[in-house]
Amino acid sequence: MGKMMTVHEVSRLAGVSIRTLQYYDRIGLLHPSGYTDSGYRLYDDTDLERLQNILLFRELEFPLKDIKEIISSPDFDRGRALEQQIELLKLKKEHVENLINFAIGVKALGVKNMDFKAFDKSKLDEYSKQAKELYGNTPEYKEMQEKQKNRTEEDDKILADGFMLLFKEAGEIKDMDPASPEAQQLVKRIQDYITENMYTCSDKILRCLGMMYSGDGEFTKNIDAYGGEGTAVFVDKAIQVYCDRREASR
């Protein structure tokens, strides 16, 4: 066993805040193996290995309570977990690369030539589901509907046009309050359209999309081209209100 490390050293090494390490201790996720005479936390190699497992599962967006169950289980197989995590991270990388290529394509060609395959997370979601079933015992994790369809170029064009028509509608009400029933109903339709045709659009993803829409890049230009200047910012504001309300009602 190597020397014991202080909470400050672990924080610097792992890139995790001291407050986070204190919180993990408090909820029983990661207890330090010792304390200094002054009462400061000390961590050994076993603690660091456990922290590494926690951070990998966090990267894969597992809830802390699930991570605690998984890595505390007597059946927990670190080698097998790492294999699963490596496969998942490769799939995430592939998904991000697809999105980067998609964004480059949008920039070069404009919104009419969108390839929605970039958004297809069915493979990643299916693998995540298997991993969560294996480790997480999360019955609430719903199986994502199969999104891969044999779409023609014409189908893709119809899909893209249908999506942009929603932003055209947004342009017609962009002078209204983003919290108005009309604006909120439109956000719901945007979320549903993405879920039905592209990938499961959670509130978290929807929030990010809103920020991307109004981020003054190609998305903003394309949306405003359909709905008029200010449409993208209006949609983002309406999305944030929508998500805030949903969060508050939970």
Side-chain angles (χ1 to χ4, degrees):
M1 189 181 85
K3 76 178 187 71
M4 303 280 272
M5 296 180 75
T6 66
V7 71
H8 290 85
E9 288 171 328
V10 173
S11 172
R12 276 199 303 274
L13 178 71
V16 176
S17 72
I18 291 170
R19 182 172 289 183
T20 297
L21 290 168
Q22 289 167 341
Y23 179 66
Y24 287 174
D25 184 8
R26 199 159 65 245
I27 63 171
L29 185 59
L30 178 66
H31 291 311
S33 289
Y35 291 88
T36 66
D37 293 341
S38 317
Y40 289 106
R41 294 169 174 82
L42 289 171
Y43 297 82
D44 65 13
D45 291 347
T46 307
D47 300 330
L48 291 177
E49 187 178 302
R50 187 175 171 96
L51 177 59
Q52 193 178 53
N53 288 328
I54 293 165
L55 295 180
L56 271 167
F57 279 113
R58 283 300 286 147
E59 184 64 33
L60 298 171
E61 297 178 6
F62 279 62
L64 289 178
K65 63 179 175 57
D66 287 357
I67 297 173
K68 187 177 173 184
E69 280 178 32
I70 292 163
I71 64 178
S72 302
S73 162
D75 301 326
F76 177 60
D77 179 340
R78 176 173 161 80
R80 191 166 182 207
L82 282 169
E83 277 173 30
Q84 291 267 352
Q85 287 164 331
I86 288 163
E87 193 58 36
L88 272 164
L89 290 167
K90 280 181 183 172
L91 286 168
K92 281 187 97 166
K93 179 187 170 197
E94 184 187 314
H95 177 60
V96 169
E97 282 172 351
N98 286 341
L99 288 176
I100 290 167
N101 290 333
F102 166 75
I104 291 166
V106 169
K107 187 175 181 186
L109 303 170
V111 80
K112 289 246 177 196
N113 293 281
M114 284 200 278
D115 175 6
F116 288 101
K117 291 189 192 75
F119 287 118
D120 190 347
K121 278 172 62 242
S122 57
K123 188 162 61 165
L124 178 58
D125 281 321
E126 179 60 28
Y127 201 92
S128 293
K129 175 179 162 286
Q130 288 172 9
K132 287 190 180 189
E133 279 181 356
L134 185 61
Y135 295 119
N137 300 317
T138 51
E140 71 276 5
Y141 187 83
K142 292 175 183 173
E143 185 170 2
M144 180 179 170
Q145 285 189 327
E146 185 55 59
K147 292 291 188 301
Q148 282 178 317
K149 296 168 185 168
N150 297 319
R151 283 200 286 253
T152 62
E153 277 185 36
E154 185 60 25
D155 293 334
D156 279 344
K157 184 179 181 306
I158 291 165
L159 190 60
D161 287 348
F163 194 41
M164 295 318 292
L165 277 174
L166 292 168
F167 293 106
K168 197 171 181 65
E169 280 187 52
E172 288 162 12
I173 62 169
K174 70 177 188 292
D175 295 329
M176 296 176 71
D177 182 349
S180 67
E182 292 85 351
Q184 292 301 295
Q185 187 186 18
L186 187 59
V187 170
K188 173 83 167 69
R189 284 170 60 206
I190 288 170
Q191 185 179 36
D192 289 347
Y193 193 90
I194 294 168
T195 294
E196 283 161 23
N197 295 295
M198 299 176 233
Y199 56 92
T200 301
C201 184
S202 65
D203 291 355
K204 183 178 174 184
I205 290 171
L206 187 63
R207 271 193 197 279
C208 294
L209 286 174
M211 289 185 273
M212 190 168 72
Y213 293 158
S214 66
D216 211 22
E218 290 300 314
F219 276 104
T220 308
K221 286 177 194 162
N222 284 318
I223 289 167
D224 284 359
Y226 272 75
E229 194 175 343
T231 303
V233 169
F234 170 76
V235 171
D236 180 23
K237 284 179 181 170
I239 283 173
Q240 303 311 325
V241 170
Y242 174 86
C243 293
D244 286 344
R245 284 179 176 174
R246 301 240 307 176
E247 206 170 287
S249 68
R250 284 195 188 108

